[in-house]
Amino acid sequence: MLYKKQNAHFFLFLMLFSEFSFLCEALEKTPSRLSKKKLLRAFFLLHAPEAVTEAIHFLTFYFFHEQQAVLFQLDEIQMVKIIAEYTEKDIDSVRKSIKHEMSGDIGAYYSVHGKSNLQSPLFQDIFREICEFGAIEGENSQETRKKKILSLLDKVSKEDARYLLRLFVGTFRIGVSDKTILEVIFEIFLVRYGERYKDIDKKKFEQIYGVFPNLGKIVYFVLTNQIEKLLSVEPKIGMAVQSQTAEVFFKNNALLLDFSKYSYVIQPKYDGFRLQAHVTKEQEIFLFSRNQILVNHLFPTVAIALKKYALQNSFYGVIDGEVIGFDRLNNFYLTFQDTAKEKREKKKKTDKKESIELQYIIFDLLVFKEVNLMNETYQKRVQIIETFQEGEQIKHVNSIPVFNIKEIEEQHNLCIKNKYEGLMIKDLAAPYEAGKRTRTWLKYKKIQKDSLEDTIDVVILGYTLSKGMRSKRQMIGSLLVGVYDEATQHYVTVAQVGSGGNQVLWNLLYENLYAITVSSPLENVFISKAHIPDYFVTPKIVVSVKADLVSLSKDHTAGVSLRFPRLLTIRPDKNEKESTDIRKFLSE
């Protein structure tokens, strides 16, 4: 084992993969969030900064190859086939065992039934091999990925392999969020540098993370005493910035607006797919979802259109906007659900489909030619956007000044009439606040008192299997859904959803939920005895539902519930904490 000396301490310079696995296992077995933080803090302080950086990248799925994010492109079904072949077992028996004996945990299955192997390679070597997945492409890419996985399994013990396999299916099951890791880093910062940097608080760290969401690099700066470098981080082309989000606006919270002090504009609110576009000086295009996931493969036509747009405007930088389907024949924008459906059916060549195109609506500019504009006023950022020439599929949002509530109401009614989701109200003097839900952006949706015209985004917390004849068509009978409460950092339930959608959507959900099924709800998931599902899941998948009413409830842990909820679609653009705050609907 190699060590290096730094700041009068000896650090573990090279780390065995088994040591990283031991940390993951300890975190998984520790229910208390405070205890998890203590484990992370001890790990960060014991090991060398380089090792800690890569360990955090592993825990947060942050892998890059030649400056491009690594996409594993493997689902649960493919992984089951690989494991069945590698362990020389029947696929159906492996699938059933994972589902019924291991609560859907493919890693736990392998730790019991996998091949014995006493090797423990260096963590750094395994990390670099995982990064090499980014170089795999071409006709035989799936077979190459399979061989790569088998090669990795040959190098680690079956107990340690559980975290490799969980990585490939996208869930670690150790109950540690990015926010928890950031809090641990901040606590280390306070102990080491609190006296010197008394004006740096937790809020400042969250702002840094919003602009520079690389936890591995942030901890490296703290552990290596590069605080000035940390405090001066800027948004970087090619690295996704956390999106600013809007507070909900209702008629009776009009006090959020002060027309005597501030100037506002309204913009149509599109029911689309939030997309942050990065354009390099060499005209390379990187498209990121609101969860900072690279999604070029989902929107190839948008990437091509953005490249043309960048060339005609001599542009490079970072822009924020929304992808939405536009019906050119009838001259209106589609809903998110219809846009997603259009993408799935894009291979069907009909006159109707050819009349619909994906457009990218630009509504903000974060970086222009390597100059950070996030601290500039929204008015200045919009003025720069308006100097650019629109493209065939690239449009600029229309901003209209408003001077009182009456004008907002008039514009809201007009937006609804023109089939928009509602409108946005934006403060022209405000900066771009990365990663924050702010009152400088307000969303005013179509909501009526006796029914909900708007869709509601909820996170799935569990599911119940179908019974009777229905079980022959689809596996899931109903979903237990909830919302994330920012104040308490808990997930609370709001409804059981058993209708809506179609058979394809329900079966797709089952495949996705099967991969994240757990034996019991996580520590911060609150479910009443009246709504215990057949299976619990890790809060991860967000879906849109339609409901008639929001009402007070004693049975659901949110204190409110949705009446007559119907499933609409999966929201892959949203993470588990971006659910709708439906309790605000009660004040309408």
Side-chain angles (χ1 to χ4, degrees), residues 368-379:
F368 180 41
K369 295 187 175 179
E370 298 179 1
V371 176
N372 177 16
L373 298 178
M374 292 174 61
N375 294 320
E376 300 291 344
T377 65
Y378 185 56
Q379 183 171 21

Side-chain angles (χ1 to χ4, degrees), residues 326-334 355 359 418-420:
F326 180 67
D327 188 331
R328 291 179 296 176
L329 192 63
N330 298 297
N331 196 36
F332 71 87
Y333 288 97
L334 307 183
S355 74
Q359 290 189 358
N418 291 331
K419 298 188 178 182
Y420 292 105

Side-chain angles (χ1 to χ4, degrees), residues 42 76 130 220 304 364 397 503 507 550:
E76 183 82 9
I130 293 171
Y220 183 80
I304 293 170
D364 215 327
V397 72
Q503 186 178 335
N507 288 333
V550 175

Side-chain angles (χ1 to χ4, degrees), residues 571-586:
R571 292 300 303 256
D573 60 318
K574 292 196 171 186
N575 66 41
E576 63 275 10
K577 295 182 180 178
E578 294 180 307
S579 51
T580 304
D581 188 351
I582 64 168
R583 282 168 289 193
K584 292 187 177 180
F585 291 0
L586 292 172

Side-chain angles (χ1 to χ4, degrees), residues 384-401:
I384 296 174
I385 292 172
E386 290 174 347
T387 65
F388 303 146
Q389 182 181 347
E390 292 185 332
E392 185 177 345
Q393 291 177 250
I394 312 300
K395 307 297 179 183
H396 303 153
V397 72
N398 185 29
S399 299
I400 301 174

Side-chain angles (χ1 to χ4, degrees), residues 432-458:
Y432 189 95
E433 299 178 78
K436 292 184 64 178
R437 186 183 301 277
T438 72
R439 294 185 174 184
T440 59
W441 285 13
L442 300 172
K443 53 185 176 183
Y444 189 8
K445 293 186 177 183
K446 183 181 180 182
I447 303 171
Q448 296 178 350
K449 195 166 187 177
D450 58 347
S451 65
L452 302 181
E453 295 295 327
D454 185 30
T455 59
I456 295 174
D457 296 323
V458 289

Side-chain angles (χ1 to χ4, degrees), residues 146-201:
K146 172 185 167 183
K147 290 179 180 178
K148 192 79 172 171
I149 291 171
L150 296 179
S151 172
L152 286 167
L153 292 177
D154 279 335
K155 294 175 182 177
V156 300
S157 71
K158 64 180 183 179
E159 292 80 14
D160 295 344
R162 90 185 77 171
Y163 299 105
L164 274 177
L165 295 173
R166 287 177 181 177
L167 170 74
F168 294 131
V169 297
T171 177
F172 273 119
R173 298 171 178 255
I174 59 175
V176 174
S177 66
D178 288 8
K179 185 174 183 178
T180 299
I181 296 173
L182 186 64
E183 287 178 3
V184 173
I185 298 171
F186 176 66
E187 289 167 5
I188 294 173
F189 166 84
L190 278 183
V191 172
R192 290 190 173 186
Y193 314 108
E195 285 297 315
R196 195 191 319 172
Y197 297 95
K198 293 182 179 180
D199 57 332
I200 306 302
D201 56 11

Side-chain angles (χ1 to χ4, degrees), residues 6-18:
Q6 180 176 314
N7 296 334
H9 294 283
F10 285 98
F11 292 95
L12 236 57
F13 182 48
L14 294 178
M15 179 172 64
L16 296 176
F17 189 79
S18 58

